Amino acid sequence: MKKIGGLLFGLLIILTKPVLARTGFPVGSKTVGEQPAKIREFTITENDTTSYTLKLALNTSDEPQYFFRNVFTPVCLTGECKPVYINFYWDLLGNYTHFDFPPGEVLTKMDHREFKPEDYAKLQDILSNQSSLLKDVAMEDLVGKGTENLADSVDAKAGATLKTVKNEVIDGAVYTCYTLWHLAHGTVVDEMLKITETYRTDALLHRFLSSNNHHYQYWAMERIMDTKGNVMNPFANDLMQIMRSKNVFTARYALQKVNNGFFAETNRQNWLWATYQQAAYPLQIAILKKLATIPFRPPLAEKTAQALGNANPEQFKLMLNALAAQPNLPDKTVQLLANHLSHSNADYTAEIHKVLTRLQPKNPVVRSKMKHYQTSRSPTPN
């Protein structure tokens, strides 16, 4: 068993064929694409006997674009080893993106049948799944009990583990899938993260923040804000663009992480309200929750109070909570609240009256409306 494991994992070497191209290949492509402008090579050592070359593609301005690796690995089955030549590509944070092949190379199954297009498509799905069950499977679990032969079919009698990962592999190429997945998601990822960190500049952070790659955006946001959510000056606009992006998850993360003082100024509060009005509903809710932590400027207080009447119950509750959380409200805002006491929704008016009662307004018009509300709610005498 140790001999087999050493053969499979200890003989990883670099394919000395032409360097392949950048992201965007069709899955399973057999052709060589456009060459990167520049390539920087890194020797990665995993243990005393295993090392390989990781390559970083650069553009003409020496800006990092993506990582790739030309791989050769033997996959041994039933006493027979077949060489696998394949090229892996990752983004700058080590997230696997795709694979392709040197000219003339293909993948084959246990019986030497070549992969079909649907097999390549499934392999791409398998390799793209960072949470694959293959993550926690040991090589020994794929070996038939009482034999040193690897079971490369999900129908082989290789124990419960192989049956468990049935949907995570390609029948006839189980161990190929296993080997390639661990190459795509192994220790190389940490090495790529270390390398990218050495390229960190304001320009790279701006680029990441404006990227469509959400991994880049999260990575950059962690580096432009301190532990209290204070934003480094050059990146305020980048962060605001993320808050208005179509990706609700990154927008909500940015909104929740940023310090409340980010929205202290009137212009920023007006911008946040405008963002609320055009946002998808989940982000609207996140914005309303954020409002409860922000000291309102008068325009935001008025806009929030005006919107109460047309809000649904969830929005209404959050808006009113945000207003109630303010130490003081402008008189105009209080008047707008009082105007809603004639709303047709009895639940709304009851909650607004509670808030007004706590505020103890001195404005005679507001007090008159509150009194009228109380009178209208009182039981009619017989």
Side-chain angles (χ1 to χ4, degrees), residues 57 65 82 103 121 127 136 139 147 158 184 208 227 240 254 257 276-277 302 332:
Q65 301 299 301
K82 58 181 181 181
L127 297 179
D136 299 315
M139 183 267 291
T147 178
F208 274 23
T227 55
M240 292 167 72
K257 189 173 177 60
Y276 166 80
Q277 291 179 308
E302 292 170 16
K332 184 175 180 180

Side-chain angles (χ1 to χ4, degrees), residues 54-220:
L54 177 66
K55 300 180 182 183
L56 175 62
L58 306 166
N59 63 15
T60 54
S61 300
D62 287 332
E63 297 172 329
Q65 301 299 301
Y66 57 91
F67 288 101
F68 65 103
R69 179 183 169 191
N70 310 130
V71 177
F72 161 73
T73 183
V75 176
C76 297
L77 303 163
T78 61
E80 176 186 359
C81 289
K82 58 181 181 181
V84 171
Y85 297 93
I86 192 168
N87 303 284
F88 280 154
Y89 298 81
W90 298 266
D91 70 14
L92 293 174
L93 298 180
N95 298 292
Y96 166 84
T97 58
H98 69 287
F99 65 85
D100 65 7
F101 300 96
E105 297 295 339
V106 296
L107 291 179
T108 59
K109 299 183 180 181
M110 183 171 57
D111 55 4
H112 302 291
R113 286 181 298 129
E114 290 189 9
F115 270 39
K116 297 179 180 179
E118 55 266 31
D119 295 321
Y120 287 116
K122 184 171 183 179
L123 179 62
Q124 173 66 4
D125 290 339
I126 291 168
L127 297 179
S128 298
N129 182 10
Q130 293 183 3
S131 302
S132 172
L133 295 175
L134 295 173
K135 179 178 182 180
D136 299 315
V137 174
M139 183 267 291
E140 290 78 6
D141 294 328
L142 301 180
V143 178
K145 187 175 181 181
T147 178
E148 291 187 352
N149 292 335
L150 290 169
D152 213 42
S153 170
V154 292
D155 296 320
K157 296 180 180 179
T161 300
L162 193 55
K163 300 299 189 293
T164 301
V165 300
K166 182 173 183 176
N167 294 328
E168 308 280 334
V169 294
I170 297 168
D171 194 20
V174 172
Y175 200 74
T176 297
C177 296
Y178 175 86
T179 302
L180 296 183
W181 188 93
H182 281 272
L183 285 174
H185 300 282
T187 56
V188 67
V189 174
D190 291 334
E191 299 299 331
M192 286 184 273
L193 288 170
K194 292 175 185 177
I195 294 168
T196 297
E197 193 67 45
T198 67
Y199 278 90
R200 194 218 299 188
T201 61
D202 282 3
L204 183 71
L205 290 170
H206 283 301
R207 174 182 149 197
F208 274 23
L209 290 167
S210 62
S211 171
N212 291 326
N213 184 332
H214 65 276
H215 298 292
Y216 286 177
Q217 291 180 315
Y218 283 121
W219 186 88

